Amino acid sequence: MKRNVLLILLTAVGVNYLCGQVTIEVWPGDANNNGQVNHIDLLQIGLAYNNFGPARDQVYSGWQAQTATPWPLVLGNGVNCAYADANGDGLVNYFYDAFPIYVHYGLRHGSETPDVFPQGMSGVDPPLFLDESAMPVQVHSGTQLNLPLVLGDADQPVENLYGLAFSLHLDPQFIDINQVNVNLGQTSWANPDNDRIYSSYSASDSRLDVAWVRTDHNEYSGYGPIGTVSIIIIDDVVSIEHEFHIHIDSIQLIDRFGNMTAVAGDSLLVTILPDAISSGGEPGLTRFRVWPNPASDALHLRAGSTIEEVILYDAMGKMAAYFVPEKSQTTWPLPGLPPGLYWIEARTRDRVYKEKIVIK
Ligand SMILES: [Ca+2]
Ligand SMILES: [Ca+2]
């Protein structure tokens, strides 16, 4: 009778007790086991990084519960490290455990415990904002904005930074979210030693979820730029002035134990000026297209003019493949590449296009 009560209790908290052995259910990608896969799970991978425990006997790549033995280490936020081991090999690292976050992004299981985003106050808490001073004097259709992403300032510096997640909201009328490049790989006060992983996920056509986290269990304090957000205004002919905002909200900043600090979000106004003289081009004709996405063995490419070279970078910015099409439309038979997230960079005579691609 006592055992039955124990079984019911343990099942209720997501732990099973079978044949004398405690087991848990790992859903690949839901690293913090809150019932939903999203960018916050990348923070959990950073918290659990390089920890190890029992490997799983059977590993499935699909979205289903996988029975696992709990690991000895439970993190400061109360989550067992085994949940971060998406591929079940007994070690938490980037290449095999972060990719399931992409594949299963947004999926849910069981009852969800929503992720927490402490609301920060401007002037009281450290800010997170795009540096408006880097905005070009004039913004037109086709203009590329390279905006430094700044965390903290001299009045409100950040203490004990280990990981950061936030959402970027953009207007799909003016921005193609698949062409937004968030680069958080640069050396900075938060990343003096390139010991970080980061990712951005298109949650919808107007929302990009971004996560950045260290992996060495060391925290940093300070303030200033931590990366760059590159945005291209859609290359359609614009005949009247438009305005739109880029918002940053839903921020979660953690220390190396997973404790949170409130951060104040921000909103940046962008004004698109009318094109002086229409070139007579068809709207959208000059945009770069790449398909299918996800891809497996080949990519089709098309641009408004001759594509001089194409480079594939892996998610950490390392070159993975190179191709010289010298045509405006072509098919690129891909070399064998590990499944994962890549950036494709295509260069024409006067433009550089960048877009996210998943190779499966
Ligand atoms: Ca989760
Ligand atoms: Ca693993």
Side-chain angles (χ1 to χ4, degrees):
M1 186 62 192
K2 255 188 183 167
R3 173 170 280 205
N4 285 344
V5 171
L6 183 66
L7 176 64
I8 291 162
L9 280 174
L10 288 173
T11 304
V13 294
V15 176
N16 297 313
Y17 186 86
L18 292 172
C19 307
Q21 194 183 1
V22 175
T23 60
I24 55 174
E25 288 187 342
V26 173
W27 289 76
D30 187 13
N32 67 354
N33 191 41
N34 77 324
Q36 189 194 359
V37 180
N38 62 21
H39 56 320
I40 302 301
D41 292 305
L42 193 76
L43 299 189
Q44 192 71 20
I45 286 180
L47 290 171
Y49 213 80
N50 272 341
N51 278 300
F52 51 88
R56 296 200 291 274
D57 295 337
Q58 287 183 306
V59 178
Y60 308 93
S61 57
W63 178 242
Q64 64 186 85
Q66 304 191 16
T67 302
T69 306
W71 289 12
L73 191 72
V74 175
L75 295 169
N77 60 5
V79 180
N80 192 283
C81 276
Y83 293 108
D85 180 23
N87 75 332
D89 66 351
L91 176 70
V92 176
N93 62 19
Y94 177 78
F95 285 99
Y96 299 108
D97 297 326
F99 189 55
I101 299 177
Y102 266 100
V103 177
H104 299 146
Y105 205 81
L107 294 180
R108 291 177 160 85
H109 66 91
S111 58
E112 185 185 339
T113 309
D115 290 301
V116 177
F117 302 99
Q119 186 71 41
M121 275 180 64
S122 181
V124 175
D125 297 304
L128 179 65
F129 61 98
L130 295 168
D131 185 357
E132 193 172 6
S133 68
M135 188 86 84
V137 178
Q138 292 203 335
V139 177
H140 292 276
S141 61
T143 300
Q144 179 165 354
L145 312 176
N146 297 309
L147 302 169
L149 180 72
V150 184
L151 176 61
D153 59 21
D155 294 330
Q156 275 87 29
V158 171
E159 288 180 10
N160 305 329
L161 168 67
Y162 190 70
L164 174 76
F166 59 93
S167 292
L168 203 60
H169 299 268
L170 300 145
D171 189 332
Q173 195 186 339
F174 305 111
I175 309 277
D176 178 348
I177 202 137
N178 287 316
Q179 294 186 348
V180 178
N181 182 12
V182 180
N183 181 0
L184 301 180
Q186 69 186 47
T187 309
S188 73
W189 62 272
N191 173 37
D193 49 5
N194 272 340
D195 194 290
R196 78 290 173 270
I197 53 177
Y198 66 96
S199 264
S200 57
Y201 311 85
S202 308
S204 71
D205 67 353
S206 65
R207 195 185 99 208
L208 199 67
D209 293 342
V210 182
W212 171 101
V213 67
R214 297 187 54 81
T215 59
D216 64 353
H217 309 281
N218 285 321
E219 306 163 325
Y220 283 83
S221 299
Y223 62 89
I226 57 166
T228 309
V229 177
S230 300
I231 292 167
I232 300 170
I233 308 296
I234 284 179
D235 206 356
D236 290 346
V237 176
V238 174
S239 54
I240 57 166
E241 189 173 309
H242 292 281
E243 287 188 337
F244 70 97
H245 283 88
I246 305 173
H247 297 287
I248 296 178
D249 67 11
S250 304
I251 305 166
Q252 190 181 111
L253 187 154
I254 57 166
D255 68 11
R256 67 196 171 99
F257 304 108
N259 300 312
M260 298 177 200
T261 299
V263 174
D266 194 48
S267 191
L268 176 67
L269 178 69
V270 181
T271 305
I272 308 173
L273 298 173
D275 292 343
I277 300 165
S278 164
S279 63
E282 290 174 46
L285 190 67
T286 54
R287 291 172 65 187
F288 174 63
R289 301 279 182 212
V290 53
W291 74 99
N293 189 6
S296 51
D297 49 6
L299 283 173
H300 304 290
L301 313 168
R302 192 178 74 201
S305 59
T306 301
I307 306 169
E308 293 176 346
E309 62 176 6
V310 193
I311 306 167
L312 264 189
Y313 295 97
D314 69 17
M316 290 292 104
K318 255 193 262 167
M319 189 166 91
Y322 181 79
F323 182 50
V324 180
E326 291 179 334
K327 289 177 191 164
S328 63
Q329 181 162 351
T330 187
T331 298
W332 182 9
L334 293 173
L337 294 167
L341 179 84
Y342 292 81
W343 280 94
I344 183 165
E345 186 176 287
R347 291 174 182 275
T348 62
R349 188 172 51 83
D350 53 354
R351 293 288 296 273
V352 179
Y353 302 93
K354 239 178 161 181
E355 198 152 332
K356 266 181 280 188
I357 289 284
V358 172
I359 308 285
K360 58 179 184 181

